[in-house]
């Protein structure tokens, strides 16, 4: 029995020895002098035979053993058997698996308490370290100084605006009620901060978005006192601390007065007193509840709610006025809803308050206001500055405007206006006629001159050089041609076509879509495109269609090329997508898009620069506090099209000036190489001439619109100036010529690059096959050109020493002693002679030597004047093809 009792202790001892040996596994490491360690033998690694009890003891002796019986457990509740000496027991040593990462309630409570203590201490230190805002410092005025391109001063704006600080008792209760109702209903009871608004701002910044402003009046007041534009987390935290400090230490009246005295209301007006003077010409204490509601409306964002308009396509005067009226009505209703106005009083205000003209705009006479307006918009675009930040002043702005060129453009417009319009004699026709023009340096894209209107001091606040909404007419056709030269048509199998490709040009021709099926009009019948003339041209080359500005070929060509390709081409030259007609119709090719004069001049400069485009810019440098702001170098050039395409478009547009609808340029004595296109729109509502030389690209727009009307709708110009219809080749071309002659005076004459022959001749469907040309013999009904004694068209004076033709009279032939005859007695497009359409030889390879006047066009009453040769350019002085003004997006 005693022997059996001792046997259980042997496996246990053997198990412990096996566990020790298994854990050590290093040579030379013994188990201790007091223990017998079996030696290895040939029969196995150890002398002790394996047994079940030995393996169990080994598992118990490992550190990862469970908290069971024996010495390995280390006591109840301990997983490792060792006490945890860490300050924070995490991950938890007394748990296994995922439970080790589950914090205890002590850890959670301790962490929350510590975090709250840190936040409280930090907030206390932050609040104690910030100062209260000083509205007097925030209201300090500074000038913005603008300089000409030669660095001489143009004008200093701002600074003179009344920014007087007024106490709360000078601010009418109606203004206080309107602002509290609209901006912060709980202003009188809150603690100055909006926790939800703060959370939104922090979350937005954490996502990388723009920061959000404070939503309470207190927070907005604090924001107004920061004169820098840095939108950083540090600034937002500082604003938060100041808001909290104000909320617990200042009276509500003090905070409200501070906010109203530092807020920006538009029109360069900071503070309620300045705003009352700027919009209503009165002190703030005299504001009516309706006027107070308007000023409270403007506070939502002057750029979008100032009826004068703002920066961006969404901030037009029309859209801003509409938004301001809606907001004004909402503020009044809101005052009733929150109990700050009686319903009966609200019902008295049904008409939007009358706003006076901008005082600052009146101080910027002539073109200065438009130049400053253009430069300010460019600065805000480049820097991201808001109108409010710009109005704080302190900027030194150097522009690209050249005073001699601006003066030359003003003189060209005003001289023509004075000679052409007579508002007293023809008030029903000659009133509201407006001009807009812009001139761009071809090499850089710099805007060197513009004409925005008679002057903001004369209540013409819209900048006509940068306005949208005036269709450009046939000046759009070069983009259709350029796209065809680049992308080709369905008939060219994707290969670019040449200007020698022929298209049907007859009036009222059915236009086919991309599938070759007729377009349908509103009644479902096949759509027939109207020309300006009813003359049966037959099939003509695209070069001739551009020369005579025939609509039908381009209405069909835009479908053969694809509207998207034409848009892509126009956009690559600088035309903004928002200004393009979004519809894929025939009129898209004829100029229903409405780019500004600045954009048209810059876009045509791409053709002049052999396909290299540069965005227009008006500012070369800006300094603030002695430091130059980045981003005002000349915009980088971009390749809009291959140079051969641009040069071929130039070649076609040179022909327009030499022999087509733009011959007024030559008649007025412009001898430099020039290319351009005329444009006249439906119902004669606008007329354009856009042209260029190798140095300058200039656009001139003429339209009629009441600047003080609510909708600014265009009015027909039929009868303006005592003539039936105004065309782009008339007044606009005359202004262009007079300006360009003066602007380029003293500049060396430079030729356009030679145009390489490009593309394939891909005639439209139905075009006749090429056949040998012939020259019909003269007949009594078709007199020979050599028998004509009609004088050539020229600007030479008559016997009386004065020209008998006005600059805009495109069809007038000056009296040279034998009388004139510019009429058309045969129903043709402008009269002409019979005979062979043989072109005159050209000294410039690849350039057309003349037009196809003659047998193909039918008899004319008078033959065209002979062609003349000037260097590498050939000019034929015949009148343009059109005669009867139908006003169908042509010429």
């Amino acid at each position: 029995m005693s022997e059996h009792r001792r046997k259980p202790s042997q496996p246990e001892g053997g198990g412990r020895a096996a566990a020790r040996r298994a854990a050590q596994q290093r040579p030379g490491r013994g188990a201790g002098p007091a223990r017998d360690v079996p030696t290895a033998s040939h029969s196995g690694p150890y002398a002790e035979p394996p047994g079940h009890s030995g393996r169990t003891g080994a598992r118990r002796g490992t550190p990862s053993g469970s908290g069971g019986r024996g010495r390995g457990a280390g006591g109840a509740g301990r997983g490792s058997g060792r006490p945890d000496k860490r300050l924070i027991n995490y991950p938890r040593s007394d748990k296994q698996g995922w439970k080790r990462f589950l914090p205890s309630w002590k850890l959670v409570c301790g962490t929350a308490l510590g975090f709250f203590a840190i936040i409280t201490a930090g907030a206390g230190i932050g609040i104690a370290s910030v100062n209260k805002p000083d509205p007097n410092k925030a209201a300090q005025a500074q000038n913005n100084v603008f300089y000409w391109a030669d660095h001489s001063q143009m004008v200093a704006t701002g600074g003179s605006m009344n920014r007087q600080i007024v106490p709360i008792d000078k601010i009418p209760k109606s203004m206080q009620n309107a602002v509290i109702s609209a901006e912060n209903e709980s202003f009188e009871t809150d603690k100055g901060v909006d926790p939800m608004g703060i959370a939104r701002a922090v979350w937005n910044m954490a996502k990388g978005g723009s920061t959000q402003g404070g939503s309470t009046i207190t927070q907005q007041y604090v924001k107004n006192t920061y004169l820098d534009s840095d939108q950083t987390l540090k600034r937002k935290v500082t604003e938060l601390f100041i808001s909290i400090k104000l909320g617990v230490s200042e009276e509500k009246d003090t905070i409200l007065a501070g906010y109203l005295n530092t807020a920006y209301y538009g029109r360069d007006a900071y503070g309620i007193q300045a705003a009352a003077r700027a919009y209503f010409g009165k002190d703030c204490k005299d504001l009516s509840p309706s006027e107070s509601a308007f000023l409270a409306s403007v506070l939502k964002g002057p750029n979008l709610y100032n009826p004068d308009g703002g920066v961006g396509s969404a901030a037009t005067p029309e859209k801003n006025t509409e938004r301001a009226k809606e907001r004004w009505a909402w503020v009044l209703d809101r005052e009733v809803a929150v109990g700050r106005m009686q319903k009966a009083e609200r019902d008295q205000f049904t008409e939007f308050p009358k706003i006076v003209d901008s005082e600052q705009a009146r101080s910027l006479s002539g073109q200065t206001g438009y130049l400053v307006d253009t430069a300010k918009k460019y600065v805000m675009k480049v820097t991201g500055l808001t109108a409010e930040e710009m109005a704080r002043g302190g900027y030194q702005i150097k522009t690209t405007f050249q005073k001699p060129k601006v003066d030359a453009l003003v003189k060209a417009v005003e001289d023509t206006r004075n000679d052409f319009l007579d508002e007293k004699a023809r008030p029903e026709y000659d009133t509201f006629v407006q001009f807009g023009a812009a001139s761009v340096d071809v090499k850089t894209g710099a805007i060197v001159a513009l004409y925005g209107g008679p002057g903001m001091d004369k209540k013409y606040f819209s900048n006509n050089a940068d306005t949208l909404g005036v269709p450009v007419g046939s000046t759009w056709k070069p983009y259709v041609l350029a796209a065809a030269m680049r992308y080709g048509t369905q008939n060219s199998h994707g290969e670019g076509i040449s200007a020698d490709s022929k298209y049907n040009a007859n009036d009222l021709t059915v236009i086919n879509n991309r599938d070759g099926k007729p377009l349908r009009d509103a009644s479902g019948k096949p759509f027939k495109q109207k020309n300006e003339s009813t003359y049966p041209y037959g099939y003509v080359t695209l070069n001739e269609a551009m020369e005579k500005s025939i609509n039908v070929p381009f209405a069909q060509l835009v479908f053969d090329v694809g509207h998207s390709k034409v848009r892509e081409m126009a956009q690559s030259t600088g035309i903004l997508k928002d200004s393009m007609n979004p519809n894929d119709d025939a009129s898209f090719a004829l100029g229903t898009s409405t780019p500004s004069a600045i954009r048209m001049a810059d876009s045509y400069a791409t053709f002049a620069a052999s396909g290299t485009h540069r965005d227009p810019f008006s500012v070369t440098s800006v300094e603030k506090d002695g430091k130059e702001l980045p981003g005002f170098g000349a915009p980088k050039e971009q390749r809009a099209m291959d140079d051969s395409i641009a040069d071929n478009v130039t070649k076609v547009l040179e022909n327009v000036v030499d022999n087509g609808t733009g011959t007024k340029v030559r008649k007025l004595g412009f001898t430099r190489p020039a290319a351009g296109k005329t444009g006249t729109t439906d119902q004669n509502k606008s007329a354009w001439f856009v042209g260029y030389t190798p140095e300058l690209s200039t656009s001139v727009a003429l339209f009629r619109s009441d600047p003080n009307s609510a909708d600014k709708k265009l009015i027909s110009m039929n009868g303006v100036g005592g003539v039936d219809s105004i065309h782009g080749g008339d007044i606009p071309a005359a202004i262009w010529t007079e300006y360009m002659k003066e602007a380029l005076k003293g500049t060396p004459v430079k030729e356009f690059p030679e145009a390489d022959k490009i593309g394939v001749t891909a005639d439209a469907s139905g075009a006749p096959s090429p056949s040998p040309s012939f020259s019909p013999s003269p007949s009594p009904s078709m007199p020979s050109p050599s028998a004509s004694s009609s004088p050539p068209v020229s600007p030479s004076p008559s016997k009386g020493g004065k020209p008998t033709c006005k600059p805009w009279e495109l069809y007038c032939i000056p009296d040279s002693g034998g009388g004139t005859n510019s009429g058309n007695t045969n129903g043709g497009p402008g009269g002409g002679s019979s005979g062979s359409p043989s072109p005159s030889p050209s000294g410039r390879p690849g350039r057309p030597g003349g037009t196809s006047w003659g047998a193909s066009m039918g008899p004319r009453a008078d033959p065209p004047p002979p062609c003349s040769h000037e260097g590498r350019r050939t000019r034929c002085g015949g009148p343009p093809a059109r005669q009867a003004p139908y006003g169908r997006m042509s010429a």
Side-chain angles (χ1 to χ4, degrees):
M1 291 294 292
S2 62
E3 194 174 65
H4 287 286
R5 290 191 191 100
R6 287 195 298 268
K7 285 182 181 180
S9 63
Q10 292 175 356
E12 183 178 355
R16 287 195 297 272
R20 287 196 298 272
R21 286 193 296 271
Q24 292 169 358
Q25 292 291 317
R26 290 187 180 181
R29 298 286 295 273
R35 297 184 183 272
D36 293 331
V37 181
T39 59
S41 69
H42 68 278
S43 63
Y46 300 100
E48 182 181 6
H52 177 74
S53 61
R55 288 194 298 270
T56 303
R59 286 196 298 271
R60 291 175 178 175
T62 59
S64 60
S66 61
R69 296 187 304 270
R71 294 170 59 185
R78 288 289 183 90
S80 63
R82 294 189 302 270
D84 196 320
K85 297 181 179 181
R86 293 177 296 173
L87 179 64
I88 300 176
N89 184 21
Y90 190 83
R92 298 173 65 181
S93 62
D94 57 339
K95 298 293 182 181
Q96 297 297 321
W98 62 269
K99 294 182 179 180
R100 297 177 63 235
F101 300 96
L102 185 65
S104 65
W105 66 271
K106 293 181 179 179
L107 180 61
V108 172
C109 294
T111 301
L113 183 62
F115 182 76
F116 179 77
I118 293 173
I119 292 296
T120 302
I125 295 173
I127 293 173
S129 63
V130 297
N131 296 319
K132 297 178 183 179
D134 186 349
N136 291 289
K137 291 182 179 180
Q140 288 179 351
Q142 297 184 69
N143 283 328
N144 285 324
V145 184
F146 294 82
Y147 299 89
W148 295 102
D150 62 3
H151 296 177
S152 61
Q153 182 171 322
M154 179 196 304
V155 68
T157 67
S160 60
M161 179 64 69
N162 180 11
R163 302 191 183 198
Q164 178 184 351
I165 300 297
V166 294
I168 191 66
D169 59 357
K170 297 293 185 181
I171 301 174
K173 197 66 178 179
S174 64
M175 185 66 198
Q176 300 178 40
N177 289 333
V179 171
I180 293 174
S181 300
E183 300 287 333
N184 186 188
E185 175 188 350
S186 62
F187 167 71
E188 293 179 337
T189 58
D190 63 36
K191 299 302 180 182
V193 295
D194 176 15
M196 293 303 297
I198 295 171
R200 285 193 303 269
V202 172
W203 174 249
N204 195 43
M205 286 187 291
K207 293 190 300 181
S210 60
T211 58
Q212 298 179 355
S215 58
T216 69
I217 287 178
T218 304
Q219 289 175 271
Q220 293 182 56
Y221 169 39
V222 173
K223 176 178 176 290
N224 291 342
T225 63
Y226 277 84
L227 302 182
D228 61 84
S229 58
D230 294 336
Q231 296 292 321
T232 62
L233 182 59
K234 177 181 177 182
R235 169 178 167 171
K236 300 302 296 183
V237 172
T238 304
E239 290 178 3
L240 173 62
F241 288 156
I242 298 175
S243 299
I244 296 174
K245 188 171 186 175
L246 286 179
V248 299
S249 63
E250 287 288 354
E251 296 291 335
K252 290 295 183 177
D253 283 351
T254 302
I255 297 174
L256 182 59
Y259 170 62
L260 294 175
N261 279 313
T262 57
Y264 181 65
Y265 297 79
R267 288 195 172 184
D268 285 355
Y270 274 92
I272 183 62
Q273 175 65 13
R277 300 298 305 176
Y279 286 101
F280 301 110
K282 61 176 64 174
D283 291 330
C284 67
K285 63 182 179 63
D286 298 323
L287 290 172
S288 69
S290 177
E291 294 167 341
S292 296
F294 166 76
L295 293 180
S297 302
V298 175
L299 286 175
K300 185 173 178 62
N303 190 62
L304 295 177
Y305 289 86
N306 177 5
D308 300 338
V311 179
S313 58
T316 63
E318 295 78 17
K319 293 180 180 179
N320 280 18
T321 300
E322 181 179 354
R323 275 189 291 264
K325 289 181 177 180
E326 291 178 355
R327 179 75 176 175
W328 164 79
W330 179 86
V331 171
L332 291 172
D333 292 338
R334 182 66 178 165
E335 290 186 67
V336 175
V338 300
R340 291 184 176 271
M341 179 182 286
Q342 296 298 319
K343 183 66 168 60
E345 183 182 7
R346 164 65 181 94
D347 293 340
Q348 298 176 12
F349 307 117
T350 57
E351 294 186 3
F352 192 67
K354 183 176 177 56
I355 299 172
V356 300
D357 296 333
S358 173
E359 180 180 348
Q360 186 174 44
R362 289 196 300 267
S363 67
L364 299 175
S365 61
Q367 298 307 301
T368 305
Y370 308 120
L371 298 174
V372 168
D373 175 71
T374 303
K376 283 174 61 177
K377 288 181 178 179
Y378 187 77
V379 170
M380 288 186 281
K381 173 185 174 183
V382 172
T383 62
L385 291 171
T386 64
E388 176 182 356
E389 292 162 343
M390 194 74 188
R392 288 173 178 150
Y395 295 95
Q396 311 290 312
I397 302 169
K398 295 180 175 63
T399 73
T400 61
F401 306 127
Q402 299 179 22
K403 191 175 188 304
K405 288 183 172 61
V406 172
D407 292 342
L409 186 55
V410 171
K411 186 176 186 302
V413 173
E414 297 300 337
D415 286 352
T416 303
R417 171 192 287 276
N418 295 336
D419 200 16
F420 173 60
L421 301 177
D422 191 341
E423 297 184 13
K424 293 182 179 180
R426 296 182 295 270
E428 69 276 22
Y429 297 113
D430 289 5
T431 55
F432 306 138
V433 177
Q434 300 190 50
F435 299 80
S439 187
V440 172
D441 185 281
V442 167
K443 295 181 180 179
T444 64
I447 306 171
V448 297
L450 59 80
Y451 183 90
M456 293 182 176
D457 56 319
K458 297 181 180 178
K459 298 186 179 181
Y460 282 81
F461 300 108
S462 179
N463 184 354
N464 292 339
D466 196 28
T467 189
L468 301 177
V470 181
V472 297
S474 291
T475 60
W476 192 261
K477 291 174 182 175
Y479 305 122
V480 184
L481 178 61
M485 289 180 170
R486 178 175 182 178
Y487 300 107
T489 64
Q490 293 171 318
N491 294 333
S492 71
H493 306 290
E495 187 173 355
I497 68 173
S498 75
D500 294 328
S501 302
K502 293 182 179 179
Y503 271 71
N504 190 347
N506 287 334
D507 188 38
L508 297 176
T509 295
V510 174
I511 304 299
N512 296 325
N513 61 19
R514 294 278 294 177
D515 298 327
K517 298 179 180 179
L519 296 180
R520 300 290 174 176
D521 58 20
S523 64
K525 298 179 180 179
F527 170 75
K528 297 179 180 180
Q529 179 60 53
K530 186 80 178 74
N531 285 333
E532 190 175 10
S533 170
T534 59
Y535 184 81
Y537 293 100
Y539 281 82
V540 301
T541 65
L542 294 174
N543 182 56
E544 185 176 349
M546 188 75 74
E547 171 194 312
K548 297 179 176 63
S549 201
I550 309 172
N551 289 339
V552 169
F554 292 98
Q556 183 59 61
L557 182 61
V558 74
F559 283 95
D560 293 351
V561 176
H563 290 74
S564 63
K565 299 299 184 183
V566 177
R567 288 191 179 90
E568 182 179 335
M569 175 59 69
Q571 194 168 357
S572 71
T573 66
I575 300 298
L576 300 179
K577 186 177 181 180
D578 291 345
S579 66
M580 297 186 198
N581 173 9
N583 301 314
D584 292 344
D585 49 26
S587 64
F588 173 77
L590 309 180
T592 49
S593 297
T594 60
S596 67
I598 291 175
R599 284 289 170 177
M600 287 301 293
D602 175 72
S603 176
Y604 270 47
T606 306
F607 298 130
S610 296
T612 299
H613 173 249
R614 299 169 180 85
D615 276 337
F617 69 103
S618 57
V619 176
T620 58
S621 69
V622 177
E623 290 185 6
K624 177 71 181 294
D625 298 329
K627 297 180 180 179
E628 188 166 326
L629 277 60
F632 288 97
K636 294 181 179 179
E637 63 182 39
Q638 297 176 331
R639 174 58 60 179
M641 68 191 81
D642 188 77
D643 55 357
S644 60
I645 295 176
D647 293 341
N648 272 273
V649 172
T650 294
K651 176 182 174 181
V652 172
L653 296 185
E654 276 193 283
N655 188 48
V656 172
V657 172
D658 291 339
N659 307 301
T661 57
T663 54
K664 175 63 66 178
V665 172
R666 297 302 182 202
K667 292 178 182 179
L668 294 177
F670 193 82
T671 58
R672 290 174 177 267
K677 186 67 188 77
T678 58
T680 307
T681 58
D682 192 26
Q683 300 180 26
N684 203 202
K685 290 183 177 179
S686 65
W688 288 74
F689 185 79
V690 187
Y692 54 90
T693 67
E695 301 84 10
L696 282 181
S697 177
T698 302
S699 64
V700 179
L702 179 67
F703 58 98
R704 192 176 178 212
S705 174
D706 183 356
N708 298 316
S709 64
D711 52 17
K712 303 292 192 302
K713 287 185 178 180
L714 297 179
I715 308 171
S716 174
M717 291 189 293
N718 290 334
V720 170
V723 298
D724 292 337
S725 180
I726 305 296
H727 295 81
D730 301 336
I731 300 297
I735 293 172
W736 185 94
T737 304
E738 294 303 318
Y739 161 72
M740 292 290 277
K741 285 195 297 185
E742 183 65 26
L744 294 172
K745 185 179 293 184
T747 303
V749 176
K750 183 180 179 181
E751 295 285 341
F752 288 114
E754 290 287 347
D756 298 331
K757 187 174 180 61
I758 63 169
V760 297
T761 301
D763 297 339
S765 301
S769 301
S771 57
S773 61
F774 66 98
S775 300
S777 301
S779 66
S781 60
M782 299 174 64
S784 172
S786 60
S788 173
S789 60
S790 299
V793 176
S794 69
S796 303
S798 63
K799 289 181 180 181
K802 295 182 179 180
T804 59
C805 296
K806 297 293 185 181
W808 55 86
E809 295 176 336
L810 185 61
Y811 312 116
C812 175
I813 301 177
D815 184 6
S816 60
T820 65
N821 186 351
S822 60
N824 175 20
T825 61
N826 296 287
S833 65
S834 64
S836 173
S838 302
S840 299
S842 173
R844 189 168 185 176
R847 295 199 178 262
T851 63
S852 56
W853 304 100
S856 63
M857 298 178 63
R860 299 187 300 182
D862 296 305
C867 296
S868 61
H869 311 288
E870 299 177 2
R872 295 184 297 172
R873 190 168 62 256
T874 300
R875 297 194 292 106
C876 298
R882 52 187 170 74
Q883 178 67 21
Y886 290 91
R888 297 290 181 180
M889 295 292 182
S890 183

